[in-house]
Amino acid sequence: MIRFDHVSKTYAGQKRPALDGLHLEIAKGEFVFLVGASGSGKSTFLRLILREERPSAGRVYVAGKEINKLSSWKVPKLRRQVGTVFQDFRLLPNRTVNENVAFALQVIGKSREEINAVLPETLELVGLEGKGHRFPGELSGGEQQRVAVARAFVNRPKILIADEPTGNLDPATSVGLMKLLDRINRTETTVVMATHDSSIVDQMRKRVIELDDGRVVRDEARGIYGYQS
Amino acid sequence: MNFTLRELGSSLSRNKTMTISLVVTMSVSLVLVALGLLIQAQTERTEQYFGEKLQLQVSLCTDGSRSDTCIGGAASDEQKQAVQEALNDNPEVKSFEVRTAEENYEAARQTFGQSDTGRKQLEVLSPENFPESYFVTLKDPQEFEGVMSQVSGMDGVNSVLSLKDLLGPLFTALDKLKWAAIGTSLLLVLAAILQVSNTIRMTAHARRREISIMRYVGASSWHIQLPFLLESLLAALISAALAAAGLAAFTGFVVYGFLRDKLGTFTTWVRWQEAIVVMGWTTILALLLALVPTLIMTRKYLDV
């Protein structure tokens, strides 16, 4: 589903590469934790999957497409197959839960009927049934992040990318969110989650890829967080 | 579509003051462009009215003529004959056309008929008040002095007018006015372009959350740009409409209400048809002015 083929990335004006000869593959339906200190290259890894950046060397394949060769007008099509969740939720505060989730479909040109058909089941999946008319400000942090997950998943992407999704949540709420991501993963959706949350990684026992200085220093099938920050 | 229209509505209310100032700048600049174009149309019309071929107008004496060469009263047939022969023999003359007194009276009826005072004057005029005249086409329009000095001294010739000389100051004035209008409008056009790009930058900033989410969920560039394009399109159409109204007012009050009335004997003035063509051009210009910078700026600021 995602393949990095000897990928390096050096940002303009910087000497040290952000990623240095990364070579790995993430299969369809896998759940992967991406760990490592700040500046280890996690964000660059995610940005390459979203084709926000292009590699300086090597090739990146996402959902069967080589992203270097993807012309810019095809990038939106790629991104429709990759849902994204952020640490800071990034909800639209002046729109209700329903409108926030529907927004993701409206802007890719889905009709009202199509949206109305998938909206209730998506809210149910993330455990927000009955809260569709609330505004983000009226929800707890955990609930807001669930809205963000609903928005990322409502179009049924093949890949879900989560960048520190529990970073702003308390431990108990984080566990709930991880259960949700696990449920999404069981629908054959590949999940890639960058995190600093050691207890969650240790609990889930999923594949762990640790980056350090732009290189993979550990890649374990049922790994633990395993490094001291 | 509903969705895009709602986006447009909220964006317009957010950018109300910017949009109003853009519309004002754009309509003023369009009015100036329109005036420039209208003056151009007037110049063409005047040239056409007097005829590009027509460089000299030789008027013979009437009973009322007072110049030295008209002592014998209205030009006699022999005098007419002599003048025509002189014109025929002159190597600088390409051709000439005889206009009878009746034909000159008819032409005067047309120009005088544009105004009330002209129509009053016509009541006391008859074909006898008008001379026979010759409209002379020269081989080289610049070489009119030879013919002029030869013919103007002949008996029975009241006056010889070089129309280029006569109308020169008018054309120069119109030309200067035209360039002043176009030059000023260029400055305003520049201001309008800057305002378009400013508005887009502000809107892009105000909507940065929406736009970043749109990009993440895979909205096409077209979808992201559309509200911006519609906003500019709307501003352009309002400006074009205001400019057209301004031009219509100018045409109605100044051209029809004053120029045709007070200066109707001078030349024929632009009509509604010409004003409407100019409105078409300014509308096209308004669309280009708004849409081209919008396309460029949205690409720049939205990174789409």
Side-chain angles (χ1 to χ4, degrees), chain B residues 45-64:
Chain B
R45 175 177 266 274
T46 311
E47 272 173 356
Q48 208 174 16
Y49 173 71
F50 287 103
E52 277 173 323
K53 293 176 289 186
L54 204 110
Q55 279 88 33
L56 289 177
Q57 182 181 358
V58 179
S59 302
L60 300 185
C61 300
T62 60
D63 282 331

Side-chain angles (χ1 to χ4, degrees), chain A residues 25-77:
Chain A
E25 187 162 355
I26 296 170
K28 184 179 180 197
E30 262 196 287
F31 194 120
V32 176
F33 284 115
L34 201 58
V35 303
S38 301
S40 59
K42 299 194 299 292
S43 298
T44 304
F45 186 88
L46 299 181
R47 291 170 68 84
L48 282 168
I49 296 173
L50 285 165
R51 219 275 210 164
E52 288 201 74
E53 301 288 346
R54 293 176 198 239
S56 314
R59 282 191 274 260
V60 177
Y61 298 88
V62 177
K65 298 273 189 310
E66 185 182 346
I67 66 140
N68 311 42
K69 288 188 179 163
L70 211 59
S71 57
S72 55
W73 62 274
K74 279 186 176 163
V75 171
K77 281 231 161 58

Side-chain angles (χ1 to χ4, degrees), chain B residues 16-164:
Chain B
K16 219 178 296 162
T17 53
M18 278 303 284
T19 311
I20 291 172
S21 97
L22 172 64
V23 166
V24 169
T25 315
M26 203 136 85
S27 25
V28 173
S29 76
L30 290 175
V31 165
L32 286 173
V33 172
L35 285 181
L37 291 174
L38 201 64
I39 292 172
Q40 179 62 39
Q42 178 62 50
T43 310
E44 277 163 19
R45 175 177 266 274
T46 311
E47 272 173 356
Q48 208 174 16
Y49 173 71
F50 287 103
E52 277 173 323
K53 293 176 289 186
L54 204 110
Q55 279 88 33
L56 289 177
Q57 182 181 358
V58 179
S59 302
L60 300 185
C61 300
T62 60
D63 282 331
S65 304
R66 296 217 180 93
S67 55
D68 293 345
T69 44
C70 293
I71 299 166
S76 66
D77 286 344
E78 290 80 40
Q79 285 170 336
K80 289 180 189 172
Q81 197 68 36
V83 174
Q84 291 189 20
E85 271 167 25
L87 289 174
N88 268 328
D89 294 344
N90 194 307
E92 285 169 8
V93 173
K94 192 170 162 202
S95 65
F96 67 92
E97 182 192 332
V98 180
R99 275 216 213 166
T100 62
E102 282 76 19
E103 284 167 341
N104 278 326
Y105 174 67
E106 265 314 304
R109 267 167 50 104
Q110 287 202 358
T111 46
F112 282 37
Q114 289 185 107
S115 67
D116 289 338
T117 42
R119 281 190 282 277
K120 269 190 199 119
Q121 281 177 305
L122 275 178
E123 286 170 13
V124 297
L125 289 171
S126 65
E128 286 86 75
N129 301 101
F130 290 87
E132 180 167 313
S133 60
Y134 306 123
F135 283 73
V136 181
T137 306
L138 298 169
K139 285 187 179 139
D140 179 353
Q142 302 304 320
E143 298 293 324
F144 57 87
E145 276 167 4
V147 186
M148 215 170 159
S149 60
Q150 184 195 2
V151 179
S152 61
M154 294 179 74
D155 284 336
V157 174
N158 182 31
S159 66
V160 181
L161 288 177
S162 157
L163 291 165
K164 269 244 140 63

Side-chain angles (χ1 to χ4, degrees), chain A residues 143-186:
Chain A
E143 286 170 327
Q144 289 188 45
Q145 192 60 296
R146 284 165 185 272
V147 179
V149 172
R151 182 179 65 195
F153 190 63
V154 69
N155 194 30
R156 301 293 152 133
K158 293 178 180 162
I159 300 169
L160 187 74
I161 286 180
D163 192 359
E164 309 260 2
T166 59
N168 285 355
L169 305 180
D170 62 59
T173 317
S174 298
V175 171
L177 185 79
M178 290 318 295
K179 282 189 182 150
L180 170 58
L181 291 183
D182 195 37
R183 208 176 310 146
I184 284 175
N185 178 235
R186 282 170 210 276

